[in-house]
Amino acid sequence: MLYLISNVRVELDEPESTVSQRLLRQLKLPARALRSCRCARRAIDARKKSSIHFVCNYEVELNQPLSEPLPAHVRYIEHSSLQPQTAALQTDSHRKHEHVVVIGAGPAGLFAALVLAEAGIRVTLLERGRPVETRMRDIGRLRSRGELNPESNVCFGEGGAGTYTDGKLYTRIKHPFLRQVLHTFVRFGGSPEILVDAHPHLGTDKLVRIVRNMRHHLIDLGVDYRFETRVDDLLIADGNVTGVRTAHGEEITASHVVLATGHSARDTFERLQQLGIRMEAKSFAVGVRAEHPQALIDSIQFGSGAAHPKLGAAEYSLTYQAEDRHLGQRGIYSFCMCPGGLIVPSPTEEGAMAVNGMSNAKRAGQWANSGIVVQITPEDLERHGIPAHPLMGIAFQRQLEVATFEAAGHRYAAPTMRLTDFVDGKSTGTLAATRFKPEAVAADLHTVLPDWVAKPLAEGFRGFDRKMRGYLTDEANLFGSETRTSSPVRIERNEQMQSINTAGLYPVGEGAGYAGGIVSAAVDGMKAAAAIIGPH
């Protein structure tokens, strides 16, 4: 008999054997009644700095059923969350001649291709960028020499943008495929700890290897896996997609096309607009990336317990509602927080600059960084002079990125400002310590961001300091500009996951406007694959 015991307090140094004995005493059972006791979920409770501990859920397998009624924090479960339960989807044999083209090898595309290929459907996976190994070298040249490869960078290439943003797996979505995504990462080399941690992460270094293992498995299944193959056009007949045309001029026919391009494929969005694929502008967020000494964040979050090895690098999640006399409240929030990480340049277009953050599995770096961003709506853009259009958000992103590039001296460096200077509205021209590459250039970020973004952002930082005393410090820098938080476009689709006016086209993931992170994008790709496979 398997039971889940929730909200168990566990001290940082408490052995698992002690926990299991304590749980048995609570259940009034002898030691012989226990078959196994495993932690199924673990979160840090640091609300009281003098008493930091874990709050855990335990799966307890017993030799005998518990007497009814069960305590409020105990419930019977049929299956362990630590063991994969969902069997692979299978298609009918008569459909195995069908061919699906998947555009994009980010999490949505990879997981769609995986489900389809394991179901026996023929798949061609097209990725405009390069494999993770080569992609790492291209990113290295951007960081060391300021040389941009527009087709292979932090946003484009195998694994998608998430590969180089820490490999965070935390999501608020609820879906049966969610656990299957986590188990799949473990299957291809991820740590089993991601099945337990409340805020799981893989780290860029580990995710690179996982993505490579997935590629080898897909190729072994017969997937036609192609790199440096940008799709420039869809083939459409009588309202149905019939295939794609690549930048090399090759036409590839398909029964279905999964569109998983990621949030930065602006040229693809523009072509889709020309083709009449129904899409709409959606809300997104822009701002800056804040960098603090990790030791400072550890001290703020954990107090005197900051040095405990089981706590690791502290993270934070902050929100604030700024008041605007014309527009009411505007949300400011931290985004993609990377403990012990580094800020990386993330442009994709010549003459434009953006930044993002990443960290490796151990999160052992000297700095903590996070995007700090302001909510932007299509109505905001129209109010500030950008004509209403499905791609109006892209136009605004480009404006900011060009201004960022110019403020850095017309090169792929980051205009940078002390946090305290930004909040005070003055530019001293001095910076806190940083190791940003290729270069941090002292600049006034108020000349980069429009006032209607910069002012609520400054107010938000003051509000953050009231929640995290010490956050507002001259030891922190702000880097311009964080513009790729999510897609500013949503490609409209129906309940069958298909474009509402182009049958057979499955827009999925972050780029299509239906996900916000690695796990939610992977789940969305799996949902499209399941829709293609059909009832089972």
Side-chain angles (χ1 to χ4, degrees):
M1 303 292 289
L2 191 62
Y3 294 90
L4 182 69
I5 304 178
S6 303
N7 299 319
V8 179
R9 176 178 175 135
V10 178
E11 303 305 323
L12 298 183
D13 293 315
E14 187 173 4
E16 287 293 296
S17 59
T18 304
V19 177
S20 61
Q21 293 168 14
R22 179 155 53 89
L23 294 178
L24 282 173
R25 287 195 299 270
Q26 290 177 6
L27 297 173
K28 299 178 180 179
L29 294 174
R32 64 178 180 274
L34 181 66
R35 285 188 183 178
S36 66
C37 178
R38 295 191 295 176
C39 181
R41 186 180 186 276
R42 178 176 52 239
I44 296 171
D45 187 339
R47 289 173 295 179
K48 195 174 182 179
K49 302 295 186 291
S50 61
S51 182
I52 299 175
H53 58 276
F54 295 118
V55 176
C56 303
N57 293 349
Y58 276 84
E59 291 181 355
V60 176
E61 188 176 10
L62 301 175
N63 291 312
Q64 61 190 67
L66 291 174
S67 301
E68 300 285 349
L70 297 177
H73 64 295
V74 179
R75 65 183 175 90
Y76 170 74
I77 56 175
E78 292 186 359
H79 303 291
S80 168
S81 66
L82 302 175
Q83 296 295 330
Q85 298 296 329
T86 306
L89 300 174
Q90 295 294 328
T91 189
D92 296 333
S93 58
H94 73 276
R95 296 187 57 205
K96 291 190 177 182
H97 69 280
E98 294 185 12
H99 179 212
V100 179
V101 169
V102 178
I103 305 173
L110 282 173
F111 275 80
L114 181 67
V115 171
L116 291 166
E118 291 187 339
I121 291 178
R122 186 163 67 96
V123 176
T124 296
L125 178 56
L126 306 177
E127 168 56 51
R128 69 188 294 168
R130 294 178 172 180
V132 283
E133 304 91 335
T134 312
R135 184 183 176 195
M136 289 177 68
R137 293 195 289 271
D138 292 329
I139 293 170
R141 278 190 287 273
L142 177 60
R143 294 187 67 228
S144 62
R145 306 177 193 171
E147 297 175 2
L148 171 66
N149 181 337
E151 298 293 335
S152 180
N153 44 62
V154 167
C155 295
F156 292 149
E158 186 180 26
T163 304
Y164 292 94
T165 55
D166 189 51
K168 283 176 283 294
L169 303 180
Y170 176 67
T171 180
R172 291 185 174 88
I173 69 166
K174 305 293 182 184
H175 194 276
F177 287 156
L178 193 154
R179 294 299 294 183
Q180 191 171 347
V181 168
L182 297 181
H183 281 289
T184 299
F185 281 126
V186 173
R187 172 183 164 197
F188 288 105
S191 168
E193 290 297 301
I194 66 174
L195 303 174
V196 175
D197 290 336
H199 286 180
H201 78 105
L202 291 165
T204 289
D205 51 341
K206 298 294 178 64
L207 191 53
V208 164
R209 291 196 288 273
I210 291 167
V211 168
R212 186 171 58 224
N213 291 341
M214 291 184 72
R215 179 213 309 160
H216 294 159
H217 177 67
L218 288 169
I219 292 172
D220 288 344
L221 290 173
V223 172
D224 184 2
Y225 201 128
R226 306 190 199 181
F227 294 105
E228 300 184 69
T229 307
R230 189 181 70 238
V231 171
D232 279 357
D233 216 348
L234 297 178
L235 306 179
I236 299 172
D238 299 323
N240 292 270
V241 69
T242 60
V244 302
R245 181 180 295 110
T246 72
H248 309 304
E250 179 185 6
E251 294 190 356
I252 304 172
T253 59
S255 314
H256 313 270
V257 173
V258 177
L259 188 68
T261 59
H263 58 43
S264 293
R266 295 168 174 173
D267 47 4
T268 301
F269 295 138
E270 290 164 354
R271 181 56 184 151
L272 294 174
Q273 174 71 12
Q274 293 170 358
L275 289 170
I277 306 298
R278 285 276 296 277
M279 61 182 72
E280 60 184 359
K282 62 178 277 289
S283 297
F284 57 108
V286 300
V288 295
R289 189 149 283 261
E291 182 183 72
H292 290 75
Q294 182 63 52
L296 174 64
I297 300 300
D298 291 346
S299 177
I300 294 172
Q301 296 294 72
F302 297 147
S304 59
H308 197 289
K310 287 194 176 179
L311 291 177
E315 54 188 300
Y316 60 81
S317 177
L318 294 168
T319 61
Y320 181 79
Q321 293 292 324
E323 290 290 341
D324 185 298
R325 62 177 180 172
H326 300 297
L327 306 176
Q329 290 189 330
R330 180 181 297 279
I332 294 92
Y333 58 92
S334 58
F335 167 82
C336 184
M337 197 271 154
C338 298
L342 63 153
I343 297 174
V344 292
S346 58
T348 59
E349 298 177 329
E350 299 284 356
M353 177 63 182
V355 293
N356 209 318
M358 61 160 281
S359 55
N360 288 324
K362 292 184 178 180
R363 291 176 162 175
Q366 185 178 353
W367 310 101
N369 72 79
S370 178
I372 307 297
V373 293
V374 180
Q375 290 177 330
I376 306 294
T377 67
E379 292 74 24
D380 291 330
L381 300 180
E382 192 171 4
R383 191 177 294 110
H384 290 93
I386 296 181
H389 188 273
L391 306 185
M392 63 195 306
I394 291 177
F396 181 62
Q397 286 176 326
R398 277 182 170 143
Q399 284 182 13
L400 288 186
E401 291 169 13
V402 169
T404 303
F405 184 78
E406 292 173 349
H410 292 83
R411 59 191 190 276
Y412 297 107
T416 308
M417 192 176 190
R418 281 187 194 263
L419 171 55
T420 46
D421 286 354
F422 180 82
V423 171
D424 291 341
K426 63 179 182 181
S427 179
T428 63
T430 66
L431 300 178
T434 182
R435 292 181 182 174
F436 174 81
K437 295 180 180 179
E439 184 183 1
V441 178
D444 186 351
L445 292 177
H446 286 274
T447 67
V448 177
L449 301 171
D451 282 349
W452 58 277
V453 172
K455 287 181 179 178
L457 199 58
E459 183 183 338
F461 282 121
R462 295 188 192 97
F464 289 174
D465 191 63
R466 291 191 287 274
K467 296 181 179 181
M468 279 181 65
R469 289 296 182 185
Y471 186 90
L472 183 53
T473 172
D474 60 7
E475 293 183 72
N477 287 319
L478 303 181
F479 296 77
S481 297
E482 178 88 31
T483 57
R484 310 293 181 96
T485 57
S486 63
S487 175
V489 176
R490 178 174 288 114
I491 302 173
E492 299 180 61
R493 70 187 189 193
N494 58 28
E495 293 181 357
Q496 290 73 47
M497 303 282 291
Q498 300 180 55
S499 162
I500 63 171
N501 67 337
T502 307
L505 178 66
Y506 294 77
V508 298
E510 286 205 39
Y514 294 96
I518 292 173
V519 171
S520 59
V523 166
D524 208 50
M526 293 179 70
K527 288 164 58 181
I532 291 170
I533 293 168
H536 56 278

